[in-house]
Amino acid sequence: MATSELLDVAPAAKVAPRVALLTGLRPTGSLTLANVVGAVQPLLGRQQLEQQPILLFVADLHALTDNEPAAVAGQVRATVADLLALGIDASRIRLFVQSAVLDDVNELAGYLARLVRVSELLRQPSLKDKLRAGQGAEQASAALLMYPVLMAADILLHGAAVVPVGEDQLAHLELARLLARRFNAAHGPTLVEPRALPGPALRILALRGEKKMSKSDPETALLLDDDAATANRKIAGCQTAVEGRMSPHLASHLQLIESLDPEAAGEATAIVAGHLRGERVMGRFKQHFARVVTDYLARVQSRRARLTSGDIDLVLAEGRAFARGSARRTLGEARQAMRFRADVPRTE
Ligand code: ATP
Ligand code: MG
């Protein structure tokens, strides 16, 4: 069958997952509280419950898309430290660096790239946003175009059932699902079709402006390494809402408070109720918001300060061994399914 015909076939071939949850974060700076609630907390909430492994990776290859390689490499261990300080239990969650499976993930991305059209990649909303915000297609690197294919390979390489991501990554996850279906339709059931977490994905807004909160815009983000004075200053300058009204920013701040400290949510909701009745309480809201955030940051920062370099080495070595084994297994199956690579034994 020609590749162009394969692209239109999408029967439902189900393959049993081998990993309960998988998610990745780019080492592009100190993590934000949006990263925490969008991607990390769903893992923390399930790390004691899942029977199958949970995988968490530091996406250094993805960070190369818009950052210098040396800067990315220099940030990897800080991101691992952030993740451990957030309460990742390394005996339950395998934590690895994406480039530990560099050959495998690139090989699978190469096979998947055959199954997606250039026009489909050009339609990805994340690409369109980036091209609008920065350089156009004349200047932007092809890494930006291939980003969703590499992300699909990250996920499909490990047979993950569920991928917790923020709203910004949902379109990429959808593409990973589509590529799993197309691969299976072309070569037989091999790759697991991943799902998002049930319920709406989160989109925490930047403290000001219309964009989502991002590591790459640290002045409008709350960072794990912000000291109390910095966090207080940022929150004092955040956008809220006029009396009597709800606004996307206020709803986003409320969501962040609820996720970081459920016990503080009652007071936040009560203040917002007063605001909706026309009371002038946004100053009080900001004080409450700042208290929740600075308490949370203090707890994480004190755990982070106690981590040693040896702790990080140990966690990464275990994660690397697991990820390599998992990747090799999937690739072996994918090669066999494709009847490609003579050095791999065939099943028939
Ligand atoms: P960068 O600016 O470098 O892209 P980022 O803050 O967007 O950084 P990523 O490493 O790209 O962070 O994404 C890590 C995870 O955090 C992804 O699952 C992503 O969906 C999630 N995430 C990022 N921003 C938000 C947000 N504002 N709200 C909820 N989840 C988010
Ligand atoms: Mg991002």
Side-chain angles (χ1 to χ4, degrees):
M1 211 187 302
T3 303
S4 58
E5 287 169 56
L6 294 176
L7 299 181
D8 297 319
V9 188
K14 295 280 174 264
V15 181
R18 283 189 281 117
V19 159
L21 297 146
L22 169 146
T23 204
L25 296 103
R26 308 197 315 152
T28 47
S30 169
L31 296 187
T32 70
L33 293 182
N35 299 143
V36 173
V37 305
V40 182
Q41 278 192 337
L43 301 192
L44 296 178
R46 294 170 73 164
Q47 62 182 345
Q48 307 301 332
L49 305 174
E50 298 293 344
Q51 301 292 318
Q52 288 184 313
I54 298 179
L55 303 192
L56 174 59
F57 66 95
V58 175
D60 56 346
L61 301 175
H62 283 297
L64 294 180
T65 310
D66 48 2
N67 293 274
E68 285 303 314
V72 171
Q75 179 63 35
V76 166
R77 291 173 71 86
T79 302
V80 174
D82 278 353
L83 291 168
L84 292 174
L86 285 170
I88 294 294
D89 174 352
S91 70
R92 300 265 175 180
I93 297 183
R94 310 294 189 152
L95 209 170
F96 65 99
V97 182
Q98 186 187 19
S99 55
V101 291
L102 183 138
D103 291 347
D104 300 326
V105 80
N106 279 321
E107 182 177 338
L108 186 59
Y111 302 148
L112 296 175
R114 302 178 60 244
L115 303 175
V116 64
R117 297 184 177 100
V118 171
S119 61
E120 289 175 307
L121 294 180
L122 287 170
R123 277 203 297 274
Q124 289 290 305
S126 54
L127 176 69
K128 291 211 271 191
D129 288 352
K130 288 246 162 90
L131 291 182
R132 252 198 309 271
Q135 327 126 324
E138 292 300 322
Q139 288 84 30
S141 83
L144 212 50
L145 187 71
M146 283 298 288
Y147 192 105
V149 179
L150 185 61
M151 179 166 153
D154 291 326
I155 299 167
L156 302 179
L157 196 55
H158 299 287
V162 175
V163 184
V165 287
E167 191 263 355
D168 60 305
Q169 298 295 329
L170 279 184
H172 292 161
L173 182 56
E174 213 37 65
L175 187 78
R177 290 164 56 81
L178 185 68
L179 288 176
R181 289 200 298 273
R182 285 181 180 169
F183 187 98
N184 293 346
H187 306 296
T190 311
L191 300 177
V192 176
E193 188 179 336
R195 287 179 285 116
L197 274 180
L202 290 180
R203 177 183 168 83
I204 302 296
L205 286 179
L207 292 172
R208 297 184 305 278
E210 301 314 310
K211 291 199 286 197
K212 75 169 188 73
M213 187 178 286
S214 293
K215 279 182 242 111
S216 50
D217 189 359
E219 261 313 296
T220 64
L222 292 164
L223 306 181
L224 279 192
D225 65 7
D226 280 344
D227 57 23
T230 307
N232 281 325
R233 173 179 58 75
K234 287 178 176 175
I235 290 174
C238 76
Q239 261 173 269
T240 52
V242 291
E243 283 94 348
R245 297 262 179 86
M246 200 57 193
S247 72
H249 281 96
L250 190 53
S252 171
H253 305 332
L254 201 53
Q255 173 84 67
L256 199 51
I257 293 170
E258 279 170 4
S259 303
L260 295 179
D261 184 356
E263 286 177 18
E267 185 176 341
T269 311
I271 299 173
V272 169
H275 165 81
L276 294 176
R277 289 192 300 271
E279 295 166 16
R280 296 173 62 97
V281 288
M282 284 295 95
R284 232 177 86 212
F285 180 85
K286 285 187 181 183
Q287 277 171 8
H288 183 59
F289 186 15
R291 203 163 43 243
V292 170
V293 166
T294 51
D295 284 356
Y296 182 86
L297 291 179
R299 286 198 298 278
V300 175
Q301 287 166 6
S302 86
R303 279 203 294 263
R304 197 181 193 285
R306 290 197 299 272
L307 284 169
T308 66
S309 188
D311 295 334
I312 294 175
D313 290 337
L314 195 65
V315 166
L316 288 182
E318 286 175 0
R320 184 189 309 123
F322 183 90
R324 285 192 176 157
S326 161
R328 298 264 150 86
R329 177 173 161 182
T330 305
L331 263 182
E333 290 170 2
R335 290 174 183 172
Q336 283 188 12
M338 290 187 296
R339 297 176 174 78
F340 186 61
R341 301 286 296 263
D343 56 326
V344 175
R346 292 179 179 172
T347 45
E348 57 195 57

